[in-house]
């Protein structure tokens, strides 16, 4: 008995064999209670360890009563949560105590993390939401308040399947901290999931208004352009967004390709010619370059009825492939139609050859 008590008093774990030996003693109840009280948080001061130590039911009940008494008299809710979780093994009561601790220090990051962890372990998401809803309005620090609203939004959306409440909480977070990127991202994710495209466009526009960073603006403008084009059926708005990207980054291939497609859809031929010229200038692939020149020439010749402006593009094709009879014939017709005798004779001679 003395050996066990000395071990407990020294804050060390006694072996199951020693605990079993003291458990057979008729005078152990008070000793075990004293040991538990004196050694909070040690392996010997937990019900789980006592249950594995071979003690009699009477002794284990005495230890349980001792721990319960400690919990009853503990005034620090965070410490009370630790007792319930680590010594008594009651996660539900540990969560309740941690919520009380969070209520005494709303916005404390460490306590918030513990509340979330215990809610995960007990699935008490409704109680967590109730606690966070009480905390958020009274926190004066805007960053901390935003963090609480953000957490609320995620619990509503991910745990309770209430996207409507999540959206409201996330907007509260942004009222507190308009630059909270996580809240913006979560809002965008919910709107995409619910296919609320107009609301998503509003979120992207607000993010555009809040940043001067070139890379961020390019990213948001491309996203907004695609949204207008593919979801909202507004090709002209999409065109304007891709145009903004090309002002910021003239060699952005994603914007060039998207602008080319939307200009074809809108049949804005002069603007499409401009884009195709840029495409030819930037193309590393020779066939891509030739294709862009040819399309520019044909658009000017047949869609815009401007053969004089078309001729230089076909001349580029002829320089690249001097024996291309099809291109020679197009130039022959253009120079005859536009009364350019010198160029006509030059091309006519080559056609005859």
């Amino acid at each position: 008995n003395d050996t066990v008590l000395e071990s407990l008093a020294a804050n060390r774990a006694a072996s199951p064999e020693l605990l079993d030996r003291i458990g057979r003693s008729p005078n152990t109840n008070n000793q075990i209670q004293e040991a538990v009280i004196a050694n909070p948080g040690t392996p010997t001061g937990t019900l789980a360890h006592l249950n594995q130590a071979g003690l009699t039911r009477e002794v284990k009940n005495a230890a349980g009563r001792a721990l319960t008494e400690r919990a009853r008299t503990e005034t620090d809710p965070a410490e009370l949560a630790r007792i319930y979780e680590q010594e008594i093994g009651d996660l539900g009561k540990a969560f309740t105590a941690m919520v009380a601790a969070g209520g005494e220090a709303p916005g404390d990051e460490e306590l918030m993390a513990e509340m979330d962890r215990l809610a995960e372990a007990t699935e008490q998401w409704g109680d967590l939401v109730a606690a966070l809803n009480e905390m958020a309005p009274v926190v004066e620090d805007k960053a901390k308040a935003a963090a609480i609203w953000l957490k609320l939004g995620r619990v509503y959306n991910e745990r309770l399947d209430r996207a409507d409440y999540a959206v409201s909480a996330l907007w509260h977070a942004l009222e507190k901290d308009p630059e909270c990127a996580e809240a913006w991202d979560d809002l965008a994710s919910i709107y995409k999931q619910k296919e609320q495209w107009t609301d998503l466009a509003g979120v992207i526009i607000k993010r555009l208004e809040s940043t001067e960073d070139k890379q961020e603006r390019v990213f948001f403008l491309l996203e907004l352009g695609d949204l207008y084009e593919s979801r909202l059926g507004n090709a002209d708005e999409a065109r304007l967004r891709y145009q903004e990207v090309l002002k910021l980054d003239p060699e952005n291939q994603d914007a060039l390709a998207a602008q080319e497609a939307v200009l074809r859809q809108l049949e804005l031929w002069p603007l499409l010619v401009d884009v195709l010229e840029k495409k030819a200038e930037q193309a590393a692939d020779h066939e891509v370059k030739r294709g862009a020149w040819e399309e520019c020439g044909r658009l000017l010749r047949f869609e815009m009825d401007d053969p004089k402006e078309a001729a230089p593009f076909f001349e580029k094709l002829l320089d690249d492939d001097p024996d291309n009879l099809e291109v020679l014939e197009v130039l022959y017709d253009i120079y005859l139609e536009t009364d350019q005798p010198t160029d006509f004779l030059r091309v006519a001679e080559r056609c005859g050859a």
Side-chain angles (χ1 to χ4, degrees), residues 62-298:
R65 287 194 296 273
L67 287 169
T68 303
E69 179 62 19
R70 282 190 55 224
R72 189 184 68 79
T73 58
E74 180 59 59
T75 58
D76 179 358
E79 174 62 15
L80 179 59
R82 188 198 65 76
I83 292 170
Y84 275 125
E85 180 181 8
Q86 298 180 14
E87 300 187 34
I88 297 178
D90 189 332
L91 294 181
K93 288 184 177 179
F95 171 74
T96 301
M98 192 58 70
V99 166
E104 291 184 1
D108 183 282
E109 293 182 8
E110 184 176 344
L111 294 177
M112 289 272 292
E114 285 297 291
M115 288 168 59
D116 188 54
R117 181 180 65 81
L118 288 167
E120 175 84 39
T122 60
E123 297 188 353
Q124 292 182 252
W125 300 114
D127 292 331
L128 179 61
V129 160
L132 295 176
N133 269 311
E134 288 185 9
M135 291 180 196
V138 301
V139 175
E140 294 183 1
D141 184 283
K142 290 187 176 181
K144 290 183 177 180
I148 296 174
W149 285 116
L150 176 64
K151 169 56 67 177
L152 259 173
R154 288 178 172 174
V155 174
Y156 275 131
N157 187 46
E158 298 169 12
R159 303 296 184 175
L160 300 178
D161 195 26
R162 290 304 305 261
D164 50 346
Y165 288 176
V167 166
S168 177
L170 292 168
W171 279 117
H172 278 302
L174 290 166
E175 287 175 9
K176 297 294 183 180
D177 181 7
E179 297 183 3
C180 181
E182 291 178 283
W184 285 119
D185 289 342
D186 286 4
L187 265 179
S189 178
I190 290 172
Y191 287 145
K192 284 179 184 177
Q193 180 186 359
K194 299 298 182 182
E195 298 186 355
Q196 295 175 234
W197 307 122
T198 302
D199 291 326
L200 177 58
V203 166
I204 299 171
I205 289 170
K206 285 184 178 295
R207 298 200 76 174
L208 266 171
E209 293 170 349
S210 67
T211 181
E212 296 298 326
D213 181 83
K214 176 182 172 180
Q215 289 186 331
E216 287 186 353
R217 290 190 65 79
V218 165
F219 176 82
F220 292 135
L221 284 166
L222 284 172
E223 189 175 18
L224 190 58
D226 178 68
L227 183 61
Y228 278 126
E229 182 183 359
S230 63
R231 300 297 184 179
L232 294 174
N234 193 334
D236 197 52
E237 276 294 334
R239 174 185 69 83
L240 294 173
R241 304 309 173 179
Y242 297 140
Q243 185 174 303
E244 287 185 67
V245 173
L246 291 170
K247 287 180 182 178
L248 292 169
D249 182 5
E251 298 186 4
N252 190 293
Q253 296 303 305
D254 291 333
L256 274 172
Q259 186 74 313
E260 181 181 342
V262 80
L263 290 173
R264 287 184 200 284
Q265 179 183 343
L266 293 169
E267 297 185 354
L268 296 174
W269 308 129
L271 295 177
L272 179 56
V273 168
D274 290 342
V275 168
L276 290 169
E277 278 195 87
K278 291 178 184 176
K279 181 179 180 179
E281 290 171 6
Q282 298 172 15
D285 186 283
H286 187 68
E287 290 305 314
V288 171
K289 193 183 294 286
R290 283 184 58 82
W293 286 336
E294 183 174 0
E295 188 169 6
C296 283
R298 293 192 179 282

